[in-house]
Amino acid sequence: AHELNEPLGGILGFAQLARKSRGLPAQADADIEKIVNASLHAREIVRKLLIFARQMPAARTTTDLNRVVTEGLYLVEARCATEGIRLERDLEPSLAAIVADPGQLQQVLMNLVVNGIQAMPAGGRLTIRTRNRPGGVLLSVEDSGAGMDEETLREIFNPFFTLKDVGQGTGLGLSVVHGIVAAHGGAIRVESEQGRGSRFDVDLPLAGPEEG
């Protein structure tokens, strides 16, 4: 990853400098913009790979998982309504606080939610739950979508595995989720049946591995 970041930085930096040249033809300017955007996209893929490899340090603090869920779902409510998906919240009112990186947990939530939305192109029900567990908390994301077969279930957390068409995704979403959860000392499980939907359960400890 670090060996990739150095040339990517050079490509991005020189492309941005080239765009500042006077008298640049419109076509050249458009082409350079494509280089800049492609470089930024490549850098984001490298960042996600580092998260999967647990090389991105977490900024952990006392975190209210219910608040992370509430703020995250606010971003997808309109999309769910447009796509005929009923969004249901079942949040534990006295949920224990945990030591975690709230930004990374929101990334976990959003990846799982978007995954669920994409599994229901004809609409359906998306349920997000939180629960207290001995020594930790549970985040559950369940959809009523297409479900997955056993072969897919074995592969979904592997980097670059995707069921999307070429150009529609990198396949890094669930592998990033797995990396973040593991870095927090947690565990993720999935249950799925074709035609009956999927449920992802994320167990998170009250304190991360560094806090004991």
Side-chain angles (χ1 to χ4, degrees):
H2 295 296
E3 288 176 359
L4 281 171
N5 272 332
E6 188 173 345
L8 281 174
I11 293 168
L12 181 61
F14 283 112
Q16 289 172 332
L17 284 173
R19 290 196 71 187
K20 295 180 180 180
S21 300
R22 294 182 180 179
L24 202 63
Q27 184 60 53
D29 184 64
D31 290 343
I32 293 173
E33 183 178 4
K34 290 177 183 177
I35 295 172
V36 169
N37 290 336
S39 301
L40 290 171
H41 179 61
R43 196 164 67 176
E44 179 65 11
I45 290 175
V46 171
R47 189 184 70 84
K48 288 181 178 180
L49 281 171
L50 286 171
I51 292 174
F52 176 74
R54 307 182 204 174
Q55 296 298 312
M56 291 286 284
R60 295 198 179 106
T61 184
T62 302
T63 301
D64 178 358
L65 182 59
N66 279 349
R67 181 174 180 179
V68 172
V69 171
T70 300
E71 292 176 352
L73 294 183
Y74 176 78
L75 301 173
V76 296
E77 282 179 325
R79 178 176 176 181
C80 286
T82 300
E83 299 190 21
I85 295 171
R86 188 165 77 250
L87 188 59
E88 296 185 351
R89 300 167 177 82
D90 182 8
L91 307 183
E92 175 77 47
S94 56
L95 193 69
I98 61 175
V99 177
D101 182 322
Q104 289 190 356
L105 290 190
Q106 188 164 100
Q107 191 173 358
V108 167
L109 172 73
M110 297 307 291
N111 270 306
L112 293 177
V113 165
V114 169
N115 201 63
I117 290 172
Q118 291 173 341
M120 298 183 287
R125 184 181 68 258
L126 186 66
T127 306
I128 290 83
R129 299 182 183 90
T130 58
R131 291 289 187 272
N132 285 314
R133 287 278 183 92
V137 297
L138 169 74
L139 168 66
S140 178
V141 178
E142 183 175 4
D143 66 71
S144 62
M148 294 174 279
D149 59 26
E150 290 186 10
E151 182 179 355
T152 301
L153 285 171
R154 286 194 297 268
E155 297 287 341
I156 55 171
F157 294 117
N158 291 337
F160 301 115
F161 176 78
T162 179
L163 296 173
K164 299 185 182 75
D165 294 334
V166 174
Q168 296 301 306
T170 61
L172 286 170
L174 289 176
S175 63
V176 168
V177 166
H178 185 276
I180 291 173
V181 172
H184 279 76
I188 183 168
R189 301 177 306 281
V190 57
E191 292 185 10
S192 185
E193 186 177 340
Q194 285 186 292
R196 303 192 67 176
S198 304
R199 188 182 79 241
F200 288 85
D201 289 336
V202 177
D203 280 304
L204 294 164
L206 296 182
E210 294 175 3
E211 292 79 22

